[in-house]
Amino acid sequence: ETFLAYFETKGHQRVASGPLVPQNDSTLLFTNAGMNQFKDVFLGRDQRNYKTATSSQKCFRASGKHNDLETVGRTSRHHTFFEMLGNFSFADYFKKEAIEYAWDLCTNVYKLSSDSLIVTVFREDEEAFSIWKDHIGIPRDRLFKMGEEENYWSMGETGPCGPCSELHYDFGVSPLGHLDCTVDCDCGRFMEIWNLVFMQYNRDSSGTVTPLPSPSIDTGMGLERITAVLQGVQSNYDTDLFRPLIEESCRLSGIAYGENEKKDVSLRILADHSRASAFVVNEGVIPGNEGKGYVLRKLLRRALRHGRTLGIDQPFLSSLTSLASEMMQDSYPELTDSRDYCARVVEAEEEKFNSTLSHGMQLLDEIVA
Ligand code: SER
C-alpha cells in the first residue's frame, strides 16, 4: 500500500493486478512480471488513458524463461508465486525520474539507510551509471557495472526488453559467515529488492531487436523481499507472509523449523507451493498432463513428495492451501470463494498421487527383490 500510494502521489494511475493466466498472449503460460499486462502499450499497439501507472501484480515463475521452481526452498528469497510492485512509464519519464523515485521511496519513505543500498547498472549504460553517481551521489564503492545476465531484462524469448539497474539491500552479515564478499555473492548477505528496467527494444521471433516506439519504464520490486527488509528479517520465509504456513507445516509434520537445513527446505517448499497452488487453482487451472495443468501438477506433487519426506502420512495439502487463501483474502477476496473448491482439487490430486506412488513402490519392490 505504501508503494502504490507513493506512486499515486506522483501522478501514477493505480491499476489492479492482471490475472495469473495471461489473456491474449500465447508467448506465456503464466504471468511472470508486472509489465505483462502492459506489453502492448510498450509496443505501441495499445493505448491507455494514462501515461504512468503503478500496480501490485500476481506473478508465477515456475515455467518458461523465468523459472524459479528448483530454487524455491533452497534459498530464502525465491518463490513460485509472488507479488511484484511496479511503476511504469509509457513514453513519459525515463531513466532519471525512475532512479529518483526509487531512491526517494527507499531512503525517505521506507527509510532504508543509504549505506545499506548497493546499485548495479548494465556495463554499457553510462547514462544510468552517471545518474546514480553524479545526480544521486552513490559512492563508487557501492555502484557496480554488470553484464547482460544480471542487468539486461527480457520478458521472454520475444517481447519488450532493455538494460536495467538493480537496487540491492546489504544486510551487513552473511548467513555463511563471509566477511568481504560483494554484491554478486549469493551467500544471502545481499538481496536484490528492486529492478528498474529501461525498456527500449522489442525482440521478435527471429531474434531481431528493434527500438520500441518510445523509451519507457518498467520496474519490479518483490513485495516479499521488501517485507523481509522492513520486518528486519533476512529470509522472506520469516515474514508474516509465510510464517503461519511454515508453522502449520511444522504442526502437521511434528518437525521444528530451524533445526535441520534439509527439513527446512521441505518446510519452505510446502509454504511456497501451497500458497501458489491456491492462486493458480483460483484462476481455473486444474492438474493435468500438459501446459498449465502440468505445471500445477508438478507443483502439487512436489509439495506432496516433500510432505512425505517430512513424515506426514495423512492427507495434508488442502489444509495448507486453505490457510494460504485465508491469509491472502484481504487483498484477494476471490480466494475465499474458491477455497473449498481448491481444497477438493488438491485432495483429488493427493489421492491420485498416493495411489500412483504406492503402485510404483510395489513395482520397485518386486524388481529389487
Ligand atoms: N520486468 C522486470 C522484472 O521482472 C521489472 O519489473 O524484474
Side-chain angles (χ1 to χ4, degrees):
E1 180 56 32
T2 307
F3 185 100
L4 299 173
Y6 173 84
F7 281 102
E8 275 182 324
T9 68
K10 306 293 176 193
H12 292 56
Q13 172 74 39
R14 186 189 292 224
V15 177
S17 172
L20 267 186
V21 172
Q23 315 288 301
N24 313 320
D25 189 345
S26 58
T27 68
L28 285 176
L29 271 188
F30 292 99
T31 297
N32 65 13
M35 55 73 66
N36 292 175
Q37 67 168 322
F38 304 116
K39 178 179 172 184
D40 283 345
V41 188
F42 287 121
L43 295 174
R45 294 178 191 150
D46 184 14
Q47 277 200 336
R48 304 282 162 95
N49 56 5
Y50 45 82
K51 296 201 78 178
T52 58
T54 183
S55 70
S56 174
Q57 173 67 48
K58 298 183 278 183
C59 296
F60 184 60
R61 291 188 172 179
S63 61
K65 180 172 167 62
H66 299 281
N67 183 348
D68 291 325
L69 186 63
E70 296 299 327
T71 320
V72 168
R74 298 179 209 294
T75 74
S76 55
R77 51 199 56 163
H78 287 92
H79 307 290
T80 53
F81 171 86
F82 65 99
E83 293 168 274
M84 186 185 283
L85 302 161
N87 57 293
F88 305 91
S89 152
F90 312 115
D92 192 79
Y93 61 84
F94 199 42
K95 292 183 191 179
K96 181 162 169 281
E97 294 85 344
I99 289 173
E100 284 171 352
Y101 287 145
W103 191 249
D104 183 39
L105 181 60
C106 284
T107 57
N108 295 324
V109 181
Y110 291 145
K111 304 221 180 292
L112 306 184
S113 143
S114 54
D115 294 343
S116 65
L117 292 166
I118 312 276
V119 174
T120 64
V121 297
F122 183 49
R123 60 171 178 247
E124 289 163 28
D125 192 350
E126 290 301 335
E127 188 188 355
F129 184 83
S130 80
I131 295 171
W132 280 115
K133 185 167 81 58
D134 304 325
H135 181 60
I136 302 289
I138 296 274
R140 194 57 194 84
D141 62 355
R142 294 211 313 275
L143 180 57
F144 296 87
K145 290 183 178 176
M146 301 278 217
E148 206 156 311
E149 183 150 353
E150 294 85 13
N151 281 84
Y152 196 95
W153 198 84
S154 313
M155 175 180 149
E157 298 315 324
T158 63
C161 53
C164 59
S165 176
E166 294 177 342
L167 283 84
H168 296 250
Y169 186 76
D170 180 1
F171 285 95
V173 287
S174 158
L176 297 183
H178 296 182
L179 295 174
D180 55 0
C181 58
T182 52
V183 69
D184 51 357
C185 186
D186 59 7
C187 68
R189 173 175 162 186
F190 302 96
M191 175 154 76
E192 180 203 331
I193 53 171
W194 203 347
N195 185 16
L196 317 179
V197 184
F198 310 125
M199 282 294 186
Q200 274 171 287
Y201 307 102
N202 179 36
R203 187 180 289 114
D204 69 19
S205 51
S206 70
T208 310
V209 171
T210 47
L212 291 180
S214 311
S216 293
I217 290 293
D218 149 37
T219 86
M221 169 186 269
L223 174 68
E224 298 73 9
R225 294 183 178 194
I226 191 68
T227 302
V229 170
L230 295 176
Q231 292 184 355
V233 292
Q234 213 155 337
S235 165
N236 297 3
Y237 291 91
D238 287 334
T239 67
D240 55 2
L241 287 163
F242 286 97
R243 207 59 217 204
L245 288 165
I246 298 264
E247 278 156 20
E248 179 62 4
S249 305
C250 289
R251 195 188 65 76
L252 289 162
S253 61
I255 283 172
Y257 186 59
E259 291 187 354
N260 173 307
E261 178 54 18
K262 203 160 166 244
K263 291 183 174 157
D264 287 353
V265 170
S266 295
L267 291 166
R268 289 192 286 266
I269 286 176
L270 292 192
D272 173 276
H273 289 14
S274 56
R275 194 172 93 121
S277 302
F279 276 92
V280 172
V281 173
N282 173 258
E283 298 220 3
V285 179
I286 51 168
N289 287 337
E290 54 186 43
K292 295 179 183 58
Y294 181 63
V295 177
L296 174 61
R297 171 159 283 165
K298 223 163 46 169
L299 195 74
L300 290 171
R301 293 191 170 196
R302 204 157 172 269
L304 292 167
R305 201 162 48 73
H306 281 276
R308 281 204 167 205
T309 309
L310 291 174
I312 309 179
D313 56 8
Q314 71 271 341
F316 71 97
L317 196 51
S318 64
S319 74
L320 286 175
T321 56
S322 295
L323 174 61
S325 300
E326 279 158 32
M327 286 170 62
M328 303 299 279
Q329 69 190 0
D330 286 348
S331 300
Y332 302 97
E334 64 274 21
L335 291 178
T336 310
D337 302 333
S338 66
R339 192 188 56 196
D340 294 345
Y341 165 72
C342 176
R344 287 197 298 278
V345 169
V346 170
E347 278 159 15
E349 185 64 12
E350 188 157 5
E351 213 168 283
K352 214 176 205 170
F353 184 54
N354 283 342
S355 75
T356 304
L357 213 55
S358 305
H359 182 61
M361 289 310 285
Q362 202 181 323
L363 285 178
L364 186 66
D365 285 346
E366 281 168 28
I367 294 166
V368 169

